[in-house]
mmCIF file of all heavy atoms in Angstrom:
data_model
loop_
_atom_site.group_PDB
_atom_site.id
_atom_site.type_symbol
_atom_site.label_atom_id
_atom_site.label_comp_id
_atom_site.label_asym_id
_atom_site.label_seq_id
_atom_site.Cartn_x
_atom_site.Cartn_y
_atom_site.Cartn_z
ATOM 1 N N HIS J 669 -66.741 -9.881 -71.130
ATOM 2 C CA HIS J 669 -66.080 -10.055 -69.914
ATOM 3 C C HIS J 669 -67.072 -10.815 -68.916
ATOM 4 O O HIS J 669 -66.662 -11.676 -68.269
ATOM 5 C CB HIS J 669 -65.654 -8.739 -69.420
ATOM 6 C CG HIS J 669 -64.283 -8.296 -69.888
ATOM 7 N ND1 HIS J 669 -63.167 -8.514 -69.070
ATOM 8 C CD2 HIS J 669 -63.896 -7.680 -71.017
ATOM 9 C CE1 HIS J 669 -62.165 -8.060 -69.888
ATOM 10 N NE2 HIS J 669 -62.629 -7.534 -71.007
ATOM 11 N N LYS J 670 -68.250 -10.322 -68.832
ATOM 12 C CA LYS J 670 -69.166 -10.797 -67.849
ATOM 13 C C LYS J 670 -69.407 -12.324 -68.189
ATOM 14 O O LYS J 670 -69.541 -13.165 -67.232
ATOM 15 C CB LYS J 670 -70.540 -10.107 -67.913
ATOM 16 C CG LYS J 670 -70.612 -8.947 -67.093
ATOM 17 C CD LYS J 670 -71.935 -8.504 -66.669
ATOM 18 C CE LYS J 670 -72.425 -9.167 -65.364
ATOM 19 N NZ LYS J 670 -73.601 -8.418 -64.831
ATOM 20 N N LEU J 671 -69.685 -12.577 -69.425
ATOM 21 C CA LEU J 671 -69.850 -13.911 -69.890
ATOM 22 C C LEU J 671 -68.713 -14.901 -69.580
ATOM 23 O O LEU J 671 -68.889 -16.021 -69.099
ATOM 24 C CB LEU J 671 -70.370 -14.072 -71.233
ATOM 25 C CG LEU J 671 -71.723 -13.498 -71.538
ATOM 26 C CD1 LEU J 671 -71.970 -13.399 -73.003
ATOM 27 C CD2 LEU J 671 -72.712 -14.643 -71.011
ATOM 28 N N TYR J 672 -67.580 -14.381 -69.837
ATOM 29 C CA TYR J 672 -66.364 -15.181 -69.542
ATOM 30 C C TYR J 672 -66.333 -15.550 -68.001
ATOM 31 O O TYR J 672 -66.065 -16.755 -67.625
ATOM 32 C CB TYR J 672 -65.154 -14.476 -70.003
ATOM 33 C CG TYR J 672 -63.841 -15.206 -69.653
ATOM 34 C CD1 TYR J 672 -63.513 -16.368 -70.283
ATOM 35 C CD2 TYR J 672 -62.976 -14.849 -68.515
ATOM 36 C CE1 TYR J 672 -62.362 -17.035 -70.051
ATOM 37 C CE2 TYR J 672 -61.957 -15.561 -68.288
ATOM 38 C CZ TYR J 672 -61.596 -16.661 -68.936
ATOM 39 O OH TYR J 672 -60.497 -17.304 -68.752
ATOM 40 N N ARG J 673 -66.540 -14.534 -67.194
ATOM 41 C CA ARG J 673 -66.522 -14.817 -65.783
ATOM 42 C C ARG J 673 -67.578 -15.836 -65.344
ATOM 43 O O ARG J 673 -67.295 -16.786 -64.597
ATOM 44 C CB ARG J 673 -66.744 -13.579 -65.046
ATOM 45 C CG ARG J 673 -65.596 -12.895 -64.472
ATOM 46 C CD ARG J 673 -65.940 -11.646 -63.709
ATOM 47 N NE ARG J 673 -65.890 -10.546 -64.593
ATOM 48 C CZ ARG J 673 -64.997 -9.490 -64.503
ATOM 49 N NH1 ARG J 673 -64.082 -9.582 -63.536
ATOM 50 N NH2 ARG J 673 -65.034 -8.510 -65.350
ATOM 51 N N ALA J 674 -68.793 -15.688 -65.928
ATOM 52 C CA ALA J 674 -69.878 -16.641 -65.585
ATOM 53 C C ALA J 674 -69.462 -18.055 -66.089
ATOM 54 O O ALA J 674 -69.792 -18.945 -65.343
ATOM 55 C CB ALA J 674 -71.134 -16.218 -66.258
ATOM 56 N N LEU J 675 -68.788 -18.093 -67.276
ATOM 57 C CA LEU J 675 -68.512 -19.449 -67.809
ATOM 58 C C LEU J 675 -67.508 -20.123 -66.962
ATOM 59 O O LEU J 675 -67.669 -21.327 -66.606
ATOM 60 C CB LEU J 675 -67.887 -19.311 -69.227
ATOM 61 C CG LEU J 675 -67.665 -20.544 -69.985
ATOM 62 C CD1 LEU J 675 -68.866 -21.330 -70.159
ATOM 63 C CD2 LEU J 675 -66.868 -20.224 -71.265
ATOM 64 N N VAL J 676 -66.475 -19.319 -66.477
ATOM 65 C CA VAL J 676 -65.446 -19.860 -65.624
ATOM 66 C C VAL J 676 -66.000 -20.391 -64.376
ATOM 67 O O VAL J 676 -65.617 -21.455 -63.737
ATOM 68 C CB VAL J 676 -64.301 -18.916 -65.414
ATOM 69 C CG1 VAL J 676 -63.498 -19.378 -64.372
ATOM 70 C CG2 VAL J 676 -63.577 -18.654 -66.767
ATOM 71 N N ALA J 677 -67.012 -19.653 -63.840
ATOM 72 C CA ALA J 677 -67.565 -19.990 -62.501
ATOM 73 C C ALA J 677 -68.377 -21.358 -62.672
ATOM 74 O O ALA J 677 -68.487 -22.172 -61.679
ATOM 75 C CB ALA J 677 -68.456 -18.839 -62.053
ATOM 76 N N ASP J 678 -69.234 -21.492 -63.773
ATOM 77 C CA ASP J 678 -70.114 -22.601 -63.749
ATOM 78 C C ASP J 678 -70.538 -23.013 -65.167
ATOM 79 O O ASP J 678 -70.996 -22.104 -65.885
ATOM 80 C CB ASP J 678 -71.403 -22.112 -63.017
ATOM 81 C CG ASP J 678 -72.537 -22.993 -63.085
ATOM 82 O OD1 ASP J 678 -72.245 -24.259 -63.342
ATOM 83 O OD2 ASP J 678 -73.734 -22.745 -62.964
ATOM 84 N N ILE J 679 -70.264 -24.271 -65.535
ATOM 85 C CA ILE J 679 -70.677 -24.605 -66.816
ATOM 86 C C ILE J 679 -71.785 -25.571 -66.978
ATOM 87 O O ILE J 679 -72.120 -26.217 -67.997
ATOM 88 C CB ILE J 679 -69.368 -25.210 -67.647
ATOM 89 C CG1 ILE J 679 -68.994 -26.548 -66.869
ATOM 90 C CG2 ILE J 679 -68.258 -24.268 -67.714
ATOM 91 C CD1 ILE J 679 -67.939 -27.250 -67.714
ATOM 92 N N SER J 680 -72.645 -25.535 -65.987
ATOM 93 C CA SER J 680 -73.766 -26.435 -66.020
ATOM 94 C C SER J 680 -75.021 -25.976 -66.678
ATOM 95 O O SER J 680 -75.923 -26.677 -67.203
ATOM 96 C CB SER J 680 -74.116 -26.926 -64.576
ATOM 97 O OG SER J 680 -74.443 -25.742 -63.832
ATOM 98 N N GLN J 681 -75.058 -24.624 -66.742
ATOM 99 C CA GLN J 681 -76.351 -24.029 -67.231
ATOM 100 C C GLN J 681 -76.213 -23.927 -68.768
ATOM 101 O O GLN J 681 -75.455 -22.993 -69.176
ATOM 102 C CB GLN J 681 -76.632 -22.632 -66.666
ATOM 103 C CG GLN J 681 -76.560 -22.665 -65.099
ATOM 104 C CD GLN J 681 -77.905 -22.918 -64.587
ATOM 105 O OE1 GLN J 681 -78.701 -23.674 -65.099
ATOM 106 N NE2 GLN J 681 -78.302 -22.220 -63.540
ATOM 107 N N GLN J 682 -76.850 -24.767 -69.513
ATOM 108 C CA GLN J 682 -76.656 -24.957 -70.889
ATOM 109 C C GLN J 682 -76.712 -23.556 -71.709
ATOM 110 O O GLN J 682 -75.937 -23.159 -72.489
ATOM 111 C CB GLN J 682 -77.423 -25.963 -71.475
ATOM 112 C CG GLN J 682 -77.121 -27.401 -70.989
ATOM 113 C CD GLN J 682 -75.550 -27.653 -71.121
ATOM 114 O OE1 GLN J 682 -75.146 -27.699 -72.184
ATOM 115 N NE2 GLN J 682 -74.884 -27.784 -69.994
ATOM 116 N N PRO J 683 -77.976 -22.892 -71.478
ATOM 117 C CA PRO J 683 -78.157 -21.713 -72.379
ATOM 118 C C PRO J 683 -77.022 -20.623 -71.968
ATOM 119 O O PRO J 683 -76.535 -20.072 -72.945
ATOM 120 C CB PRO J 683 -79.525 -21.145 -71.851
ATOM 121 C CG PRO J 683 -80.200 -22.347 -71.327
ATOM 122 C CD PRO J 683 -79.149 -23.267 -70.758
ATOM 123 N N LEU J 684 -76.661 -20.608 -70.798
ATOM 124 C CA LEU J 684 -75.674 -19.616 -70.508
ATOM 125 C C LEU J 684 -74.355 -19.932 -71.193
ATOM 126 O O LEU J 684 -73.647 -19.167 -71.749
ATOM 127 C CB LEU J 684 -75.437 -19.606 -68.908
ATOM 128 C CG LEU J 684 -74.391 -18.575 -68.442
ATOM 129 C CD1 LEU J 684 -74.930 -17.225 -68.746
ATOM 130 C CD2 LEU J 684 -74.214 -18.745 -66.955
ATOM 131 N N VAL J 685 -74.002 -21.265 -71.073
ATOM 132 C CA VAL J 685 -72.738 -21.685 -71.716
ATOM 133 C C VAL J 685 -72.737 -21.425 -73.139
ATOM 134 O O VAL J 685 -71.759 -21.066 -73.829
ATOM 135 C CB VAL J 685 -72.501 -23.139 -71.387
ATOM 136 C CG1 VAL J 685 -71.323 -23.640 -72.190
ATOM 137 C CG2 VAL J 685 -72.340 -23.286 -69.860
ATOM 138 N N GLN J 686 -73.905 -21.674 -73.826
ATOM 139 C CA GLN J 686 -74.010 -21.600 -75.286
ATOM 140 C C GLN J 686 -73.763 -20.025 -75.710
ATOM 141 O O GLN J 686 -72.969 -19.760 -76.581
ATOM 142 C CB GLN J 686 -75.388 -21.972 -75.762
ATOM 143 C CG GLN J 686 -75.518 -23.445 -75.719
ATOM 144 C CD GLN J 686 -76.947 -23.915 -76.032
ATOM 145 O OE1 GLN J 686 -77.734 -23.090 -76.328
ATOM 146 N NE2 GLN J 686 -77.192 -25.233 -75.955
ATOM 147 N N VAL J 687 -74.419 -19.136 -74.918
ATOM 148 C CA VAL J 687 -74.205 -17.775 -75.251
ATOM 149 C C VAL J 687 -72.784 -17.328 -74.963
ATOM 150 O O VAL J 687 -72.185 -16.580 -75.790
ATOM 151 C CB VAL J 687 -75.237 -16.915 -74.390
ATOM 152 C CG1 VAL J 687 -74.937 -15.449 -74.687
ATOM 153 C CG2 VAL J 687 -76.641 -17.246 -74.703
ATOM 154 N N ALA J 688 -72.270 -17.839 -73.870
ATOM 155 C CA ALA J 688 -70.869 -17.353 -73.521
ATOM 156 C C ALA J 688 -69.894 -17.841 -74.632
ATOM 157 O O ALA J 688 -69.135 -17.083 -75.013
ATOM 158 C CB ALA J 688 -70.512 -18.014 -72.211
ATOM 159 N N CYS J 689 -69.999 -19.157 -74.951
ATOM 160 C CA CYS J 689 -69.218 -19.662 -76.015
ATOM 161 C C CYS J 689 -69.254 -18.853 -77.323
ATOM 162 O O CYS J 689 -68.179 -18.404 -77.946
ATOM 163 C CB CYS J 689 -69.536 -21.142 -76.435
ATOM 164 S SG CYS J 689 -69.049 -22.282 -75.143
ATOM 165 N N TRP J 690 -70.485 -18.544 -77.636
ATOM 166 C CA TRP J 690 -70.610 -17.753 -78.909
ATOM 167 C C TRP J 690 -69.964 -16.404 -78.874
ATOM 168 O O TRP J 690 -69.306 -15.910 -79.658
ATOM 169 C CB TRP J 690 -72.169 -17.636 -79.271
ATOM 170 C CG TRP J 690 -72.523 -16.983 -80.532
ATOM 171 C CD1 TRP J 690 -72.616 -17.663 -81.701
ATOM 172 C CD2 TRP J 690 -72.531 -15.662 -80.793
ATOM 173 N NE1 TRP J 690 -72.912 -16.787 -82.778
ATOM 174 C CE2 TRP J 690 -72.836 -15.586 -82.298
ATOM 175 C CE3 TRP J 690 -72.528 -14.429 -80.153
ATOM 176 C CZ2 TRP J 690 -73.097 -14.315 -82.920
ATOM 177 C CZ3 TRP J 690 -72.683 -13.248 -80.809
ATOM 178 C CH2 TRP J 690 -72.911 -13.189 -82.101
ATOM 179 N N CYS J 691 -70.213 -15.706 -77.668
ATOM 180 C CA CYS J 691 -69.582 -14.365 -77.504
ATOM 181 C C CYS J 691 -68.073 -14.422 -77.419
ATOM 182 O O CYS J 691 -67.414 -13.615 -78.022
ATOM 183 C CB CYS J 691 -70.056 -13.711 -76.217
ATOM 184 S SG CYS J 691 -71.670 -13.025 -76.347
ATOM 185 N N ILE J 692 -67.482 -15.469 -76.774
ATOM 186 C CA ILE J 692 -66.110 -15.511 -76.670
ATOM 187 C C ILE J 692 -65.580 -15.824 -78.094
ATOM 188 O O ILE J 692 -64.486 -15.229 -78.497
ATOM 189 C CB ILE J 692 -65.727 -16.699 -75.749
ATOM 190 C CG1 ILE J 692 -66.053 -16.302 -74.272
ATOM 191 C CG2 ILE J 692 -64.164 -16.910 -75.859
ATOM 192 C CD1 ILE J 692 -65.886 -17.273 -73.339
ATOM 193 N N GLY J 693 -66.309 -16.586 -78.885
ATOM 194 C CA GLY J 693 -65.830 -16.838 -80.196
ATOM 195 C C GLY J 693 -65.772 -15.526 -81.066
ATOM 196 O O GLY J 693 -64.861 -15.272 -81.806
ATOM 197 N N GLU J 694 -66.858 -14.791 -80.897
ATOM 198 C CA GLU J 694 -66.948 -13.668 -81.787
ATOM 199 C C GLU J 694 -66.024 -12.487 -81.243
ATOM 200 O O GLU J 694 -65.354 -11.805 -81.987
ATOM 201 C CB GLU J 694 -68.394 -12.983 -81.613
ATOM 202 C CG GLU J 694 -69.393 -13.711 -82.586
ATOM 203 C CD GLU J 694 -69.016 -13.429 -84.049
ATOM 204 O OE1 GLU J 694 -68.874 -12.173 -84.456
ATOM 205 O OE2 GLU J 694 -68.872 -14.386 -84.746
ATOM 206 N N TYR J 695 -65.997 -12.226 -79.996
ATOM 207 C CA TYR J 695 -65.338 -10.998 -79.421
ATOM 208 C C TYR J 695 -64.126 -11.394 -78.514
ATOM 209 O O TYR J 695 -63.800 -10.703 -77.661
ATOM 210 C CB TYR J 695 -66.303 -10.156 -78.567
ATOM 211 C CG TYR J 695 -67.696 -10.003 -79.246
ATOM 212 C CD1 TYR J 695 -68.824 -10.338 -78.655
ATOM 213 C CD2 TYR J 695 -67.753 -9.384 -80.519
ATOM 214 C CE1 TYR J 695 -70.088 -10.175 -79.379
ATOM 215 C CE2 TYR J 695 -68.773 -9.164 -81.164
ATOM 216 C CZ TYR J 695 -70.123 -9.638 -80.639
ATOM 217 O OH TYR J 695 -71.269 -9.296 -81.205
ATOM 218 N N GLY J 696 -63.565 -12.544 -78.921
ATOM 219 C CA GLY J 696 -62.378 -12.957 -78.098
ATOM 220 C C GLY J 696 -61.308 -11.952 -77.966
ATOM 221 O O GLY J 696 -60.595 -11.813 -76.997
ATOM 222 N N ASP J 697 -61.164 -11.165 -79.173
ATOM 223 C CA ASP J 697 -60.128 -10.259 -79.051
ATOM 224 C C ASP J 697 -60.305 -9.133 -78.021
ATOM 225 O O ASP J 697 -59.446 -8.754 -77.299
ATOM 226 C CB ASP J 697 -59.858 -9.595 -80.447
ATOM 227 C CG ASP J 697 -61.217 -9.312 -81.195
ATOM 228 O OD1 ASP J 697 -62.186 -9.761 -80.444
ATOM 229 O OD2 ASP J 697 -61.286 -8.739 -82.247
ATOM 230 N N SER J 698 -61.529 -8.746 -77.732
ATOM 231 C CA SER J 698 -61.744 -7.809 -76.677
ATOM 232 C C SER J 698 -61.480 -8.379 -75.439
ATOM 233 O O SER J 698 -61.003 -7.647 -74.460
ATOM 234 C CB SER J 698 -63.248 -7.303 -76.737
ATOM 235 O OG SER J 698 -63.839 -7.375 -77.960
ATOM 236 N N LEU J 699 -61.737 -9.605 -75.276
ATOM 237 C CA LEU J 699 -61.440 -10.221 -74.002
ATOM 238 C C LEU J 699 -60.015 -10.202 -73.658
ATOM 239 O O LEU J 699 -59.482 -10.037 -72.515
ATOM 240 C CB LEU J 699 -61.997 -11.806 -73.980
ATOM 241 C CG LEU J 699 -62.033 -12.501 -72.795
ATOM 242 C CD1 LEU J 699 -62.812 -11.758 -71.778
ATOM 243 C CD2 LEU J 699 -62.665 -13.802 -72.976
ATOM 244 N N LEU J 700 -59.202 -10.444 -74.671
ATOM 245 C CA LEU J 700 -57.713 -10.490 -74.523
ATOM 246 C C LEU J 700 -57.136 -9.183 -74.263
ATOM 247 O O LEU J 700 -56.077 -9.118 -73.638
ATOM 248 C CB LEU J 700 -57.096 -11.147 -75.843
ATOM 249 C CG LEU J 700 -57.329 -12.574 -75.937
ATOM 250 C CD1 LEU J 700 -56.868 -13.062 -77.350
ATOM 251 C CD2 LEU J 700 -56.582 -13.336 -74.873
ATOM 252 N N GLN J 701 -57.828 -8.133 -74.695
ATOM 253 C CA GLN J 701 -57.233 -6.814 -74.446
ATOM 254 C C GLN J 701 -57.236 -6.522 -73.037
ATOM 255 O O GLN J 701 -56.464 -5.798 -72.504
ATOM 256 C CB GLN J 701 -58.064 -5.824 -75.107
ATOM 257 C CG GLN J 701 -57.653 -5.550 -76.574
ATOM 258 C CD GLN J 701 -58.693 -4.835 -77.318
ATOM 259 O OE1 GLN J 701 -59.586 -4.169 -76.702
ATOM 260 N NE2 GLN J 701 -58.766 -4.945 -78.578
ATOM 261 N N GLY J 702 -58.093 -7.075 -72.243
ATOM 262 C CA GLY J 702 -58.125 -7.052 -70.766
ATOM 263 C C GLY J 702 -58.812 -5.877 -70.203
ATOM 264 O O GLY J 702 -59.305 -5.928 -69.127
ATOM 265 N N ASP J 703 -58.786 -4.677 -70.898
ATOM 266 C CA ASP J 703 -59.416 -3.601 -70.071
ATOM 267 C C ASP J 703 -60.618 -3.114 -70.677
ATOM 268 O O ASP J 703 -60.869 -3.063 -71.932
ATOM 269 C CB ASP J 703 -58.335 -2.431 -70.115
ATOM 270 C CG ASP J 703 -58.036 -2.001 -71.621
ATOM 271 O OD1 ASP J 703 -58.251 -2.880 -72.509
ATOM 272 O OD2 ASP J 703 -57.559 -0.903 -71.808
ATOM 273 N N CYS J 704 -61.575 -2.849 -69.929
ATOM 274 C CA CYS J 704 -62.940 -2.522 -70.287
ATOM 275 C C CYS J 704 -63.437 -1.573 -69.291
ATOM 276 O O CYS J 704 -63.356 -1.757 -68.058
ATOM 277 C CB CYS J 704 -63.753 -3.824 -70.323
ATOM 278 S SG CYS J 704 -65.460 -3.554 -70.621
#
Side-chain angles (χ1 to χ4, degrees):
Chain J
H669 273 262
K670 274 204 91 160
L671 282 170
Y672 176 73
R673 259 182 268 250
L675 183 65
V676 168
D678 171 23
I679 59 168
S680 59
Q681 308 271 39
Q682 297 305 301
L684 182 64
V685 172
Q686 287 170 5
V687 177
C689 288
W690 190 89
C691 280
I692 293 174
E694 274 298 304
Y695 311 121
D697 41 353
S698 332
L699 191 57
L700 287 169
Q701 278 162 20
D703 56 341
C704 172

